[in-house]
Amino acid sequence: MSVTRARPPAFPVNWPSRLAWIGLALYTLYATSILDLTWQRFVVGLGNGAKFLSRMFPPNLAADKLALISDGMIESIQIAVLATFFGVLLSLPLGLAAARNLAPGWLSWSARGLIAVFRSFHPVIVSILFVKAVGFGALAGILALIVSTMGFVAKLFAEVVEEMSPKPVEAVRATGANFLNLLVMAVMPQVTARFVGLSVYQLDSNLRNSTMVGIVGGGGIGAPLFTAYQRFDYDVVLTILIAIILLILLAEMVSGRIRRIFL
Amino acid sequence: MSVPRVWQRFTLAERIARAILYVCVVIAVVWSIRTIEVIPEFLYDAPEQTADLFSRMWPFDWAFYPKAIHAALIETFHIATLGTLIAIVLALPLSFLAARNFVSNPLLNFVAQFIFVASRSVNSLIWALLFVAIFGPGALSGVLSIAFRSIGFVGKLFGEALEEAQVGPIEALTAAGAPRSMLLVKGYWPQVEPAFWSIALLRWDINIRESAVLGLVGAGGIGVALDAAMNNLYWDQVGLILAVIFAVVIVTEIVTSSIRSRIL
């Protein structure tokens, strides 16, 4: 007589993970009730949505609106270009100062602290502060985006520098080179490609954000967008949204091309 | 005697392409500087304005925290978390459609990719404008705008993770006669689970930051309190709100990095 033994299941049940999923589901229900997200509100909203869409179409292509929009878009592009350029320039020393394998401890920790402050505020909040400091207009937007550029590029650049191979650095140091020579001959050749990649990514991201700083007075297309929205000119809003999406698609194509040249 | 050979790190075509790019960067920067409108009169008193701003912010109006900030902060947290969850639920099926090794239909791949691009191109504040117009001011608009902005991010990255999955386990399961749903659960999921959690945590981290500003256009959360305090010129309240946002962002970053190092 053969003994039948229960075969262990091929895939044992993972109870901690199941509990976590159940917890997540319970949280969803709890948060939904706290935020007062009811199905009824959603359905009422859908009716509004149909009205909203019907007022959006067709997009407003009147000549005076188009002139206004193209001015705003050009200003947004300028904000993004300048913020990326100066932000990236400033990120180079900041990133090097934050790299623990090149900079002394006190310098890298203070640079890291600065980067953490820069990173933690949304560009829109930073531009509120700059609008108060330097007044309405493109300059406030540029300064705000420089801050967010430094927060992102310097942080990742420091990580790239920390990951590089120490051998060329030691070889150059052994020849008695000074620190500047060390940077130019040993560090930069290893990290330039990654640095350009980061900068190009940040250009994309700055273009997206430069369309938004205008909502709080930082210049660019955001101001006409917000004005059109508050005046219920939803057809103009749609035209601006189409322009923004086209700009972003174009920027993604350009940045893909740049990345292919450098990587 | 032959001429010593000159070694170059890059080919001629590479050097020309780089030179053209450098020229383009210079042209773009010079054009931007020359044509951008900056009002210099505003700049003369910038240091005084900045000093004035900080002197008005300090000391913080601590009594304001229990009155208005705490509830708004909790709401911001729920908006970010719930928005991320909804985005994940909506993005997962789309990322399976976008992964070319899972769905071999170019049209479906393209549709999913297009949805991702549209979602990512529109900023979360602009999504919030649209949703406030549809659903009215409040947390519902905030949750939906966070969710719609995140679909593209989560979907694109998770779709790329799926495309990188190894075929070995999939083929083994297919050979054992597993149905398509089991391929998904036991073939793909274990391979992409680490990527999934890291994407979800990263997006949650970003969303905490973004949900803090949605209130500026009326989509709920701490931004509403910030907007009101700024409009009333109560800079001591503004300073407190900024400090609270900073603290929350730092705590979120510590939490996500500790979860990441534990589960990945």
Side-chain angles (χ1 to χ4, degrees):
Chain A
M1 212 181 116
S2 67
V3 181
T4 52
R5 231 180 8 164
R7 231 176 69 193
F11 302 108
V13 177
N14 185 351
W15 278 108
S17 123
R18 280 199 181 176
L19 283 179
W21 285 110
I22 291 171
L24 214 53
L26 287 179
Y27 168 77
T28 309
L29 290 179
Y30 166 74
T32 316
S33 68
I34 285 285
L35 292 184
D36 196 25
L37 310 181
T38 58
W39 186 249
Q40 195 211 340
R41 255 192 92 184
F42 190 73
V43 172
V44 170
L46 286 187
N48 283 342
K51 217 184 294 169
F52 180 66
L53 282 180
S54 73
R55 289 182 62 173
M56 268 185 141
F57 284 96
N60 190 333
L61 297 174
D64 58 327
K65 299 285 182 214
L66 282 186
L68 189 76
I69 292 170
S70 75
D71 281 353
M73 292 303 284
I74 287 175
E75 196 176 42
S76 275
I77 296 172
Q78 290 170 332
I79 291 173
V81 166
L82 290 178
T84 313
F85 182 74
F86 289 110
V88 163
L89 270 190
L90 293 171
S91 300
L92 266 173
L94 188 61
L96 287 173
R100 274 170 295 201
N101 52 353
L102 286 183
W106 60 270
L107 184 61
S108 76
W109 279 114
S110 42
R112 273 160 190 271
L114 196 62
I115 292 173
V117 174
F118 286 170
R119 265 168 59 73
S120 53
F121 289 113
H122 197 276
V124 171
I125 292 183
V126 182
S127 62
I128 290 171
L129 296 180
F130 277 118
V131 166
K132 171 78 171 92
V134 302
F136 286 97
L139 186 64
I142 295 173
L143 292 174
L145 291 182
I146 285 178
V147 167
S148 63
T149 303
M150 286 167 74
F152 179 82
V153 177
K155 175 174 193 273
L156 293 182
F157 182 53
E159 282 171 14
V160 171
V161 171
E162 284 177 358
E163 281 167 14
M164 74 180 177
S165 155
K167 287 173 187 164
V169 181
E170 280 164 17
V172 173
R173 199 172 272 155
T175 64
N178 62 21
F179 188 70
L180 199 66
N181 285 338
L182 191 78
L183 284 186
V184 175
M185 290 302 167
V187 178
M188 289 325 278
Q190 294 194 62
V191 298
T192 305
R194 296 279 303 278
F195 185 67
V196 172
L198 289 177
S199 310
V200 171
Y201 178 86
Q202 186 61 32
L203 177 65
D204 259 13
S205 153
N206 278 347
L207 271 175
R208 275 160 225 239
N209 284 334
S210 70
T211 60
M212 207 174 48
V213 290
I215 290 179
V216 292
I221 190 73
L225 174 68
F226 200 45
T227 315
Y229 171 80
Q230 285 181 325
R231 291 168 61 188
F232 305 108
D233 288 340
Y234 292 138
D235 47 351
V236 181
V237 170
L238 181 63
T239 319
I240 297 177
L241 286 185
I242 292 172
I244 291 176
I245 292 177
L246 288 180
L247 176 71
I248 302 292
L249 287 181
L250 189 73
E252 278 189 359
M253 270 158 55
V254 170
S255 61
R257 178 80 28 106
I258 296 178
R259 226 168 267 149
R260 236 172 298 144
I261 289 178
F262 268 90
L263 300 185
Chain B
M1 232 179 82
S2 65
V3 183
R5 190 161 170 202
V6 179
W7 292 92
Q8 294 281 356
R9 188 174 167 199
F10 301 108
T11 64
L12 184 66
E14 276 176 336
R15 274 180 286 149
I16 290 176
R18 285 174 184 226
I20 292 175
L21 191 66
Y22 293 141
V23 173
C24 288
V25 169
V26 171
I27 290 175
V29 171
V30 171
W31 166 74
S32 303
I33 290 184
R34 290 179 63 102
T35 53
I36 200 152
E37 281 172 46
V38 170
I39 305 168
E41 283 79 15
F42 283 178
L43 275 179
Y44 297 144
D45 63 343
E48 290 134 65
Q49 290 285 345
T50 315
D52 178 54
L53 181 67
F54 284 107
S55 73
R56 280 165 197 257
M57 277 187 183
W58 189 261
F60 293 156
D61 182 5
W62 293 106
F64 189 56
Y65 182 83
K67 241 188 288 172
I69 298 184
H70 186 73
L73 193 63
I74 302 293
E75 194 181 52
T76 299
F77 175 81
H78 286 317
I79 288 175
T81 313
L82 207 55
T84 313
L85 287 174
I86 293 176
I88 290 170
V89 169
L90 293 176
L92 280 192
L94 284 173
S95 60
F96 279 107
L97 287 185
R100 276 179 283 270
N101 55 347
F102 191 75
V103 172
S104 54
N105 180 340
L107 182 68
L108 286 179
N109 294 153
F110 175 77
V111 169
Q113 295 284 1
F114 179 78
I115 293 174
F116 294 160
V117 169
S119 151
R120 283 184 307 132
S121 308
V122 181
N123 217 298
S124 53
L125 258 186
I126 296 175
W127 276 119
L129 284 179
L130 299 181
F131 283 119
V132 168
I134 294 175
F135 295 108
L140 178 62
S141 312
V143 171
L144 287 176
S145 59
I146 288 287
F148 273 69
R149 172 65 181 81
S150 308
I151 286 176
F153 183 92
V154 174
K156 176 174 186 277
L157 292 180
F158 192 62
E160 284 169 4
L162 279 173
E163 287 190 344
E164 282 164 16
Q166 301 277 321
V167 286
I170 315 296
E171 281 175 357
L173 281 168
T174 317
R180 209 171 160 75
S181 62
M182 276 297 125
L183 285 188
L184 202 67
V185 178
K186 299 298 178 191
Y188 283 99
W189 177 248
Q191 294 194 53
V192 296
E193 197 179 358
F196 170 79
W197 288 114
S198 93
I199 294 166
L201 281 173
L202 178 60
R203 191 63 222 181
W204 182 66
D205 191 15
I206 299 173
N207 281 345
I208 293 270
R209 245 165 262 216
E210 298 219 318
S211 61
V213 295
L214 292 180
L216 294 177
V217 296
I222 199 163
V224 177
L226 180 63
D227 196 36
M230 281 196 314
N231 288 340
N232 295 331
L233 302 178
Y234 289 152
W235 289 98
D236 48 352
Q237 295 179 357
V238 174
L240 180 62
I241 294 173
L242 293 184
V244 166
I245 293 177
F246 181 66
V248 168
V249 167
I250 295 291
V251 168
T252 315
E253 211 163 309
I254 293 170
V255 168
T256 49
S257 62
S258 79
I259 296 179
R260 199 172 289 146
S261 62
R262 190 169 308 168
I263 65 172
L264 297 186

